[in-house]
Amino acid sequence: MTHILRIDSSIKGADSVSRRLTGRIVERLKAAHPDAIVTERDVTNGIPAIDGAWLGAVYIPADQRNAEQAQIAAFSDRLLEEVRAADILVIGLPVYNFGVPAQLKNWIDQITRRGESFVYTENGPEGLLKGKRAIVALSSDGTRMGSEVDFASPYLRHMLGFLGITDVTFVAADQMVFDPEATLKRAEQEVERIAA
């Protein structure tokens, strides 16, 4: 059974282009895998930034945590378990100020844990979340994906690879400000070409 994890990070709600695309991608995947389980995670609903309390909570043995540490670690564990359970990640990536939304960065920070999602070896870091596929729906008003000012897509590709997820496909609705209708139509056609 295929397990899909849909992650949305746009603050625009129903007006979001990236949410529209992640929805279409999930529809396409579900058409190909009717028995698929879909878990939805809207990171705009509150993913705390990591801090000293988080560091203290997730890197001490579970049986030594106090109540506050146990709660902090449990939330981070839940996010990580959603990724571990998924075969396919569908990630909405709106580009804000040339980078990833803070909420999405918080999610990445929560799941990037030494010994849990990656390890350091004598040959360098090794991701532990292997065997997964990621489809990223990028949207932007003015930033062209792959341009010298696109700091969002290279960062996300790098972080996914760092965690062991190297099968990454991008669908881009970029530079929407110039021709929104044509750009969105092109992106939706890209979705239809994705092998489900």
Side-chain angles (χ1 to χ4, degrees):
M1 183 178 299
T2 302
H3 193 140
I4 302 163
L5 174 59
R6 175 181 173 179
I7 300 157
D8 284 306
S9 61
S10 172
I11 59 175
K12 293 183 178 178
D15 294 328
S16 164
V17 171
S18 64
R19 286 178 190 269
R20 178 171 171 173
L21 292 174
T22 57
R24 288 184 93 97
I25 293 165
V26 169
E27 285 173 12
R28 178 155 172 70
L29 292 171
K30 281 196 58 97
H33 308 280
D35 63 343
I37 296 170
V38 179
T39 299
E40 296 187 359
R41 172 63 68 178
D42 184 343
V43 299
T44 66
N45 288 335
I47 302 289
I50 62 172
D51 57 12
W54 178 89
L55 198 63
V58 301
Y59 287 117
I60 63 170
D63 61 354
Q64 295 177 27
R65 294 173 183 150
N66 62 34
E68 181 186 1
Q69 290 170 328
Q71 185 177 8
I72 291 168
F75 182 75
S76 183
D77 288 344
R78 187 163 55 253
L79 297 178
L80 192 49
E81 285 306 315
E82 288 175 353
V83 178
R84 284 187 178 129
D87 301 297
I88 305 171
L89 283 74
V90 178
I91 303 173
L93 175 59
V95 178
Y96 295 161
N97 301 318
F98 313 105
V100 300
Q103 298 89 340
L104 185 59
K105 173 70 165 62
N106 289 347
W107 175 80
I108 292 166
D109 288 343
Q110 287 276 354
I111 66 167
T112 304
R113 290 170 49 186
R114 183 171 38 89
E116 299 285 346
S117 55
F118 75 96
V119 291
Y120 288 115
T121 72
E122 58 188 30
N123 298 319
E126 178 184 347
L128 301 177
L129 302 177
K130 297 175 182 165
K132 302 178 186 306
R133 177 184 183 197
I135 305 170
V136 180
L138 179 145
S139 64
S140 73
D141 282 340
T143 304
R144 181 173 51 83
M145 184 174 141
S147 70
E148 67 281 359
V149 295
D150 169 20
F151 303 108
S153 64
Y155 169 77
L156 186 56
R157 184 184 297 276
H158 172 80
M159 288 307 303
L160 290 170
F162 181 79
L163 300 176
I165 304 169
T166 56
D167 181 359
V168 182
T169 302
F170 279 84
V171 173
D174 54 356
Q175 296 188 303
M176 289 284 293
V177 72
F178 299 112
D179 192 346
E181 285 186 26
T183 302
L184 188 55
K185 182 177 180 182
R186 188 170 58 249
E188 289 174 341
Q189 289 170 344
E190 283 182 49
V191 169
E192 295 307 311
R193 288 194 291 269
I194 290 174

